[in-house]
Amino acid sequence: MSNNEKLIKKARKFSIHEKMFQCPICGGAMKVERMASLECENGHCYDISRQGYVNLLKHSSKTKYDKALFEARRTISGSGFFGPMVEAVTTRLIQELKSQESVKPVRLLDAGCGEGSHLSAILRKLREQRMVPDVLGVGMDIAKEGVVTAAKTFPDPMWCVADLSQSPFADQQFDYILNILSPANYSEFRRLLMSDGMLVKVIPGSMYLQELRALLYTGTGKETYSNDGTMELFIRHFGRIEFEELRYRVILDSEQMKQLIHMTPLSWGISDELIERIPDGEMEVTADFTLLYGWI
Ligand SMILES: [Zn+2]
């Protein structure tokens, strides 16, 4: 397929769903023009890349997330570290979908999709379930490097580089929003969710990577972690909530451990010398997550 054909194929997908979008600058309605860009009624224009993503940031944004970080996250996803968490989220989504009275197409947004592996795995699992209706996946992240990797690796969802505080979607466009190990914006989540929609937020539990904390943070006061503040904020924004705790242990080799350190906010501000403290050979680490579900 030539580059031009690739672009047209990607643009067609955005064109089918163009009504979902709104201009992040002026809030105007958007249309796909010349099978090449999303444009608003006031002339703000966002090119569709041939990899299949649209950059909807007003200004390019410098984030702490670089290409190496997303490569590390992809390696760790491949190692199965997140497997049971992704499985639990999918199981809950399937349960919710099956409880719906009518079968209708479903739209799922991953807000903070990074390099796309969680969204892609969840979509694949949902589609394996014949009972589940048509699902459109949309991934959004402010870090362009993550979205570029996502678009190259997983062609199926629509990928957007965008700022969650001014997300480029019209009101009430999504049945489900995922927000996995990523910062929230509750007023935007409430605006984007359909009235019976559900937010799924995954946050680390207090024992998340406790072995790493013990190695890297001894004597710094950061050895322990609490998600109480995040929980409280979540509860305040929803009429109905449920939560679920999920804890399991994973064995990683020393190379995977180093990748894990590179992808986690834990490692920011940690010197190479400290990272050298990671012993060679395999190490068992704790994955501890709280899964929060919220309905407006
Ligand atoms: Zn505009």
Side-chain angles (χ1 to χ4, degrees):
M1 211 187 286
S2 75
N3 282 345
N4 200 35
E5 284 168 322
K6 272 189 199 163
L7 174 61
I8 288 172
K9 194 165 167 240
K10 296 296 180 189
R12 191 165 292 135
K13 188 158 196 172
F14 280 94
S15 174
I16 292 168
H17 301 288
E18 64 191 11
K19 288 195 168 56
M20 287 176 68
F21 291 88
Q22 75 174 28
C23 178
I25 294 177
C26 69
M30 304 263 262
K31 268 181 92 64
V32 169
E33 298 289 354
R34 301 176 307 281
M35 284 306 195
S37 55
L38 267 174
E39 285 181 37
C40 85
E41 52 201 2
N42 295 314
H44 299 119
C45 177
Y46 310 90
D47 290 341
I48 300 167
S49 81
R50 75 187 141 76
Q51 290 99 339
Y53 70 89
V54 179
N55 187 342
L56 291 131
L57 280 182
K58 284 191 275 185
H59 311 284
S60 73
S61 161
K62 275 231 166 295
T63 68
K64 284 179 273 191
Y65 303 91
D66 62 5
K67 200 171 174 184
L69 184 142
F70 289 112
E71 272 163 18
R73 199 174 122 175
R74 202 164 115 198
T75 307
I76 292 300
S77 284
S79 77
F81 178 78
F82 293 114
M85 180 271 284
V86 165
E87 192 69 48
V89 168
T90 313
T91 303
R92 188 65 186 82
L93 286 171
I94 290 169
Q95 192 189 334
E96 189 68 14
L97 283 164
K98 287 186 174 170
S99 73
Q100 302 288 318
E101 281 166 20
S102 60
V103 176
K104 57 173 177 94
V106 162
R107 288 174 179 172
L108 172 67
L109 171 69
D110 185 358
C113 63
E115 37 55 77
S117 51
H118 298 326
L119 176 62
S120 163
I122 289 167
L123 286 172
R124 196 182 59 242
K125 285 170 190 286
L126 286 178
R127 287 181 183 139
E128 283 166 8
Q129 295 278 323
R130 297 251 170 98
M131 299 282 293
V132 168
D134 215 12
V135 187
L136 173 71
V138 180
M140 168 171 90
D141 205 291
I142 196 168
K144 186 180 166 191
E145 292 293 356
V147 174
V148 171
T149 307
K152 282 183 184 165
T153 322
F154 308 109
D156 168 57
M158 291 202 292
W159 301 106
C160 306
V161 185
D163 184 347
L164 180 55
S165 66
Q166 282 154 323
S167 41
F169 305 104
D171 297 357
Q172 301 199 334
Q173 291 300 311
F174 296 98
D175 302 88
Y176 303 99
I177 297 178
L178 308 174
N179 184 225
I180 301 177
L181 304 173
S182 184
N185 183 309
Y186 291 108
S187 59
E188 279 295 88
F189 292 157
R190 292 173 56 96
R191 183 178 74 77
L192 298 176
L193 274 177
M194 292 177 190
S195 56
D196 58 350
M198 175 173 81
L199 176 71
V200 182
K201 182 166 176 63
V202 178
I203 59 177
S206 59
M207 291 166 82
Y208 185 64
L209 303 180
Q210 58 180 352
E211 301 79 2
L212 265 184
R213 286 179 181 280
L215 273 173
L216 301 176
Y217 279 154
T218 302
T220 65
K222 294 186 195 169
E223 300 94 327
T224 56
Y225 163 80
S226 159
N227 64 22
D228 291 352
T230 316
M231 288 273 279
E232 272 167 35
L233 205 57
F234 183 91
I235 291 165
R236 217 183 296 158
H237 285 90
F238 293 94
R240 175 161 77 95
I241 62 147
E242 286 175 20
F243 71 96
E244 183 184 340
E245 286 179 341
L246 179 68
R247 195 171 294 157
Y248 52 92
R249 294 168 73 78
V250 182
I251 293 171
L252 299 175
D253 62 30
S254 50
E255 191 45 43
Q256 288 170 327
M257 283 298 292
K258 289 197 176 113
Q259 300 279 3
L260 185 64
I261 292 169
H262 281 298
M263 59 150 254
T264 165
L266 266 181
S267 66
W268 295 341
I270 295 218
S271 66
D272 288 346
E273 181 209 337
L274 273 173
I275 290 175
E276 290 305 313
R277 281 198 203 169
I278 304 296
D280 279 336
E282 291 182 338
M283 186 174 164
E284 203 174 28
V285 291
T286 304
D288 181 17
F289 302 104
T290 304
L291 283 57
L292 302 159
Y293 306 99
W295 294 262
I296 299 166

